[in-house]
Amino acid sequence: MTYDADPETRAQQQQQPPLAVPERGTRQTAVGPGPEATPATTSAEARLIPQGERDKLAMRLQQAVNTFVDGPRRAVEEADSVFEEAARCLTDAMAERRGTLRSAWSGKNREAETEELRVALRTYREATERLLRM
């Protein structure tokens, strides 16, 4: 008899990255959360758009939905405007994050330390995985 995991367990297993097998004769260092990755850090970094801006955009979107019956075209135009602004905020936040990450490891006058590179790689991986889950 074959055991099938419940859908939630299967979903969690599918989200985990595949294990990498090192080539023979090489050393592999795990690139995973280190001691500096605390829940507080993770939740602070999780907010790409500041809460105040998110609240304003959500309020505008809700107002557009609420006014649809009285002015459908105007409501859709407002929803389009909110979407455009949210996308711009997200793009700006990602560009700023990338600049910060890049400056941490790509200094022209110095060699980045292995630990700095490990942290940068982990951060790039986490940010990219978040984007791919959207």
Side-chain angles (χ1 to χ4, degrees):
M1 179 167 19
T2 306
Y3 170 75
D4 288 328
D6 65 305
E8 185 176 328
T9 303
R10 279 194 304 261
Q12 289 173 349
Q13 290 170 345
Q14 290 172 350
Q15 289 177 356
Q16 295 176 355
L19 296 174
V21 178
E23 293 181 27
R24 181 172 227 159
T26 62
R27 264 181 73 174
Q28 181 177 6
T29 304
V31 179
E36 65 278 4
T38 62
T41 303
T42 305
S43 63
E45 291 175 355
R47 302 287 181 201
L48 294 174
I49 300 174
Q51 187 65 43
E53 187 68 22
R54 291 176 60 201
D55 291 344
K56 288 177 190 175
L57 292 171
M59 189 181 321
R60 284 180 51 205
L61 182 60
Q62 188 58 50
Q63 186 175 12
V65 170
N66 292 341
T67 61
F68 179 79
V69 172
D70 295 331
R73 178 169 290 282
R74 179 67 192 129
V76 172
E77 288 171 348
E78 178 63 11
D80 177 67
S81 175
V82 172
F83 181 82
E84 181 180 20
E85 190 170 339
R88 182 190 51 75
C89 288
L90 181 61
T91 302
D92 291 349
M94 294 305 296
E96 183 179 329
R97 182 72 176 136
R98 181 172 183 239
T100 301
L101 276 170
R102 200 163 239 236
S103 67
W105 64 266
S106 68
K108 293 180 182 179
N109 296 332
R110 66 178 184 89
E111 283 289 319
E113 297 292 324
T114 303
E115 179 62 13
E116 291 171 314
L117 294 171
R118 183 190 72 77
V119 170
L121 179 60
R122 186 193 75 227
T123 306
Y124 276 120
R125 182 188 71 194
E126 291 168 356
T128 303
E129 286 174 346
R130 254 179 93 195
L131 285 173
L132 294 175
R133 285 191 301 266
M134 292 179 98

